[in-house]
Amino acid sequence: MDYYKEKNKIIIPNPTDFNIKHICECGQMFRWEEKKSYFDVMSTKFNAIVYENDMKSAIIESENINYYEKYFDLKNDYGIIKMELNKIPILKQAINFGYGIRIAKQDLLETIISFIISANNNITRIKKIINSLCVNFGDKLGEFYSFPTLLALKNIQEQDFVKLGAGYRASYLVDTISIIDDEFLEKLSKMNTIDAYNTLIKLKGIGNKVAECILLFGLSKTNVFPVDVWMSRVCQEYFHFNTLRKEMSKRMVQEFGDLAGYAQQYLFYYKRELKEK
């Protein structure tokens, strides 16, 4: 994908492989706000204003454009990925619908905490809980709040998470945060997919689906296929897999290999958006 940088800006002409609405609303991230004419995307320490310029280009404005160049995976050629996945009819439909999806490279700690909160939850509520977490325990950076540091998270009590709306997940969060440290995160980031998965599922509040979301969005492991209720329907309806979700995930990885994570995002966005409409 062609793009170029100016001071505090990334300009993407003819963004056939980038659409900020698709990226934000495909279930991978929760720290964004849709305004009248732009999306405000917040990471752990920075934020970016992303908007379309008369539908002819996409513009990312940030004080740290190098961070968002990596965050939005701009150096990765999604045209090649889509060309390969387009060989399967249902994926061709899904890609045409969500053509601008890109898998963001998110902070690992934030991803772990966010997806524990996401379990058996809806996106509106997840965003509300995470926003409250940032406002109450993060640092104020201009007009937004950073995600809490590991030290700040370790000082949060179970009842505090309950007050934020985490419900039964509060005890899972406290338990998992007590185990995580910088060394743990560093080791996890260097593991292969299988070892990282086996390490994650030992943590409280992390089952198969949450672990695979963390692998995909926090560790950039694209040889996974998280299966929730939407993906279970896709697997049954289009691929005729009528089995347990964990087995569905394995079979979709066998089908798509290192492109499984990309396929999952296109299919998830397609199925959920069509259902909601």
Side-chain angles (χ1 to χ4, degrees), residues 4 16 25 40 44 51 57 61 74 76 92 154 194 222 231 240 243 250 253 257 275:
Y4 59 92
T16 55
E25 295 185 354
D40 191 354
T44 304
Y51 58 94
S57 64
E61 292 188 1
L74 296 184
N76 192 0
K92 187 172 183 178
K154 285 183 177 294
I194 294 174
T222 59
M231 287 297 92
H240 310 297
T243 184
K250 288 181 180 179
V253 172
K275 178 67 175 179

Side-chain angles (χ1 to χ4, degrees), residues 10-227:
I10 300 173
I11 295 92
I12 306 169
N14 303 313
T16 55
D17 299 329
F18 184 100
N19 182 293
I20 189 59
K21 184 176 179 67
H22 297 171
I23 293 168
C24 289
E25 295 185 354
C26 65
Q28 64 175 319
M29 62 176 71
F30 309 107
R31 296 261 285 142
W32 54 270
E33 293 181 10
E34 184 178 9
K35 307 294 187 179
K36 186 173 182 180
S37 59
Y38 66 90
F39 279 74
D40 191 354
V41 181
M42 291 148 278
S43 68
T44 304
K45 297 179 180 179
F46 311 106
N47 77 312
I49 302 300
V50 190
Y51 58 94
E52 293 180 339
N53 184 20
D54 298 327
M55 302 300 289
K56 294 179 181 178
S57 64
I59 298 174
I60 303 168
E61 292 188 1
S62 174
E63 292 183 358
N64 194 325
I65 58 174
N66 291 332
Y67 179 91
Y68 280 98
E69 179 182 35
K70 180 180 178 181
Y71 184 86
F72 287 120
D73 200 20
L74 296 184
K75 293 184 178 180
N76 192 0
D77 190 343
Y78 277 61
I80 295 174
I81 294 167
K82 292 192 286 188
M83 189 180 301
E84 184 65 28
L85 293 176
N86 265 333
K87 296 175 183 178
I88 298 175
I90 181 56
L91 267 161
K92 187 172 183 178
Q93 294 176 40
I95 289 169
N96 286 340
F97 183 82
Y99 65 87
I101 288 173
R102 303 184 76 84
I103 297 178
K105 294 181 179 295
Q106 301 180 62
D107 178 80
L108 179 54
L109 174 63
E110 181 174 345
T111 306
I112 292 172
I113 302 306
S114 297
F115 278 93
I116 291 175
I117 291 170
S118 79
N120 299 312
N121 220 338
N122 62 67
I123 288 179
T124 300
R125 194 159 178 270
I126 298 165
K127 287 182 63 181
K128 183 178 180 181
I129 295 169
I130 294 173
N131 180 66
S132 296
L133 176 64
C134 296
V135 169
N136 284 277
F137 299 101
D139 296 323
K140 187 169 177 56
L141 301 174
E143 296 183 2
F144 83 106
Y145 290 84
S146 70
F147 193 83
T149 63
L150 182 56
L151 178 61
L153 288 169
K154 285 183 177 294
N155 288 323
I156 303 175
Q157 304 299 310
E158 183 175 336
Q159 59 266 29
D160 295 323
F161 280 118
V162 172
K163 289 178 182 177
L164 295 176
Y168 70 88
R169 306 166 195 84
S171 62
Y172 299 158
L173 289 164
V174 170
D175 191 275
T176 290
I177 289 166
S178 71
I179 294 170
I180 295 175
D181 57 22
D182 291 333
E183 183 181 0
F184 175 91
L185 295 171
E186 180 68 20
K187 287 182 178 178
L188 187 63
S189 69
K190 294 177 179 178
M191 290 180 186
N192 61 36
T193 303
I194 294 174
D195 290 343
Y197 173 85
N198 289 333
T199 299
L200 286 167
I201 60 171
K202 293 176 183 177
L203 300 176
K204 290 287 183 66
I206 298 181
N208 298 325
K209 183 258 184 180
V210 169
E212 293 197 340
C213 285
I214 295 167
L215 290 170
L216 182 56
F217 307 129
L219 289 166
S220 299
K221 306 290 190 186
T222 59
N223 58 336
V224 296
F225 192 97
V227 176

Side-chain angles (χ1 to χ4, degrees), residues 223-236:
N223 58 336
V224 296
F225 192 97
V227 176
D228 65 351
V229 62
W230 298 105
M231 287 297 92
S232 178
R233 293 169 184 169
V234 165
C235 289
Q236 293 178 63

Side-chain angles (χ1 to χ4, degrees), residues 238-254:
Y238 299 108
F239 296 90
H240 310 297
F241 295 163
N242 190 14
T243 184
L244 297 175
R245 291 183 183 180
K246 186 175 181 180
E247 185 61 28
M248 287 178 178
S249 176
K250 288 181 180 179
R251 293 180 68 173
M252 293 300 273
V253 172
Q254 290 172 357

